[in-house]
Amino acid sequence: EFAQLQRDVADQLVVLCGLTKLPAKVLDIGCGTGYLTQLLCSRSRHSGLVAMDIAMPMLQVVKSRIAGQLGYVCGDAEQLPFQTHCFGSIFSNLALQWCPNLQAVLVEFRRILVPGGKFYFSTFGPQTLIELKQAWAHVDQFRHVNEFTSIDELQSLLEAGQWMNCRIERRHYQLKYPSVISLMQELKGLGAQNAAHDRNRQLTTKSSLNNMIEHYPIALDGEGITATFEVIWVSAEAG
């Protein structure tokens, strides 16, 4: 379910950019297994496309899937290992929400983009996993789910960074899961660990987990559960 969501969001990200041809130098940050990278390949010169991820195994998957002269870099979005003004466009699909400091990411974007260069990224909004948040709220006051950046916060960051021609779009997706446990297992597999400072630092007890599951709403059709993902697409231009 989540893999299909990632593909749908990547497709919309390419539509948002509105270009049939991309600049000579393009960076895909948090490329994962390379779905967005493949979409960008058809719109850019292969020699100028760089796939970057913080996990080396992901880059190895991309390299095995995509033929051509791509660049592959293992690196951190908050400390990009590139020279100043070396990319014409930056793309990132559902990756930057795991960065603790989005402001630092945007500063790095401006540093490596050429004047007039553009970035396009998708991220999660605060309504993501709202059902899980509300279910845990019945158990204790700890924060069990990551908080994601709101549209207002994104707009403030873009204004502070003096980005131009900013565009923000939003859509809510509803994904079905057989159970709450299957949802939590998928989140763990995505590496979506809770990094909140006010999280419970003790092991979750079985009784607390069962209590949360009892408060998680059943899907309207009475089968399984539904999880909300608020997706936000952002684009802007470096002045």
Side-chain angles (χ1 to χ4, degrees), residues 42-204:
S42 63
R43 292 170 170 81
S44 65
R45 305 181 185 95
H46 282 208
S47 59
L49 178 59
V50 176
M52 190 191 97
D53 203 279
I54 200 168
M56 183 61 74
M58 288 294 189
L59 292 171
Q60 293 169 340
V61 171
V62 178
K63 195 169 184 179
S64 68
R65 291 179 57 181
I66 303 178
Q69 300 300 313
L70 275 68
Y72 301 93
V73 174
C74 187
D76 185 345
E78 294 180 16
Q79 295 179 311
L80 294 171
F82 303 107
Q83 295 179 347
T84 299
H85 298 166
C86 63
F87 285 99
S89 289
I90 299 172
F91 286 80
S92 182
N93 185 49
L94 294 181
L96 300 183
Q97 67 274 358
W98 310 126
C99 294
N101 190 345
L102 186 57
Q103 183 178 17
V105 172
L106 293 178
V107 169
E108 281 292 86
F109 279 11
R110 175 173 288 280
R111 181 182 67 80
I112 69 170
L113 279 172
V114 299
K118 297 180 179 181
F119 74 72
Y120 309 86
F121 73 83
S122 59
T123 186
F124 288 135
Q127 291 299 303
T128 297
L129 300 173
I130 187 66
E131 301 89 353
L132 188 60
K133 294 177 186 177
Q134 292 173 346
W136 273 117
H138 287 279
V139 179
D140 56 42
Q141 299 303 310
F142 292 112
R143 187 176 298 176
H144 292 267
V145 182
N146 280 313
E147 290 296 324
F148 301 111
T149 307
S150 69
I151 285 181
D152 288 344
E153 290 170 329
L154 286 168
Q155 289 175 331
S156 295
L157 288 173
L158 294 172
E159 290 173 3
Q162 298 183 324
W163 293 92
M164 301 171 57
N165 299 322
C166 303
R167 181 179 176 185
I168 300 178
E169 297 184 7
R170 172 175 57 188
R171 177 179 171 185
H172 290 82
Y173 291 81
Q174 301 284 334
L175 302 190
K176 280 287 294 290
Y177 292 89
S179 67
V180 179
I181 294 298
S182 64
L183 167 62
M184 296 178 71
Q185 287 173 337
E186 180 164 283
L187 293 174
K188 184 177 180 180
L190 292 168
Q193 304 302 317
N194 181 14
H197 70 277
D198 54 352
R199 67 187 183 276
N200 186 354
R201 298 177 186 274
Q202 305 298 318
L203 290 175
T204 301

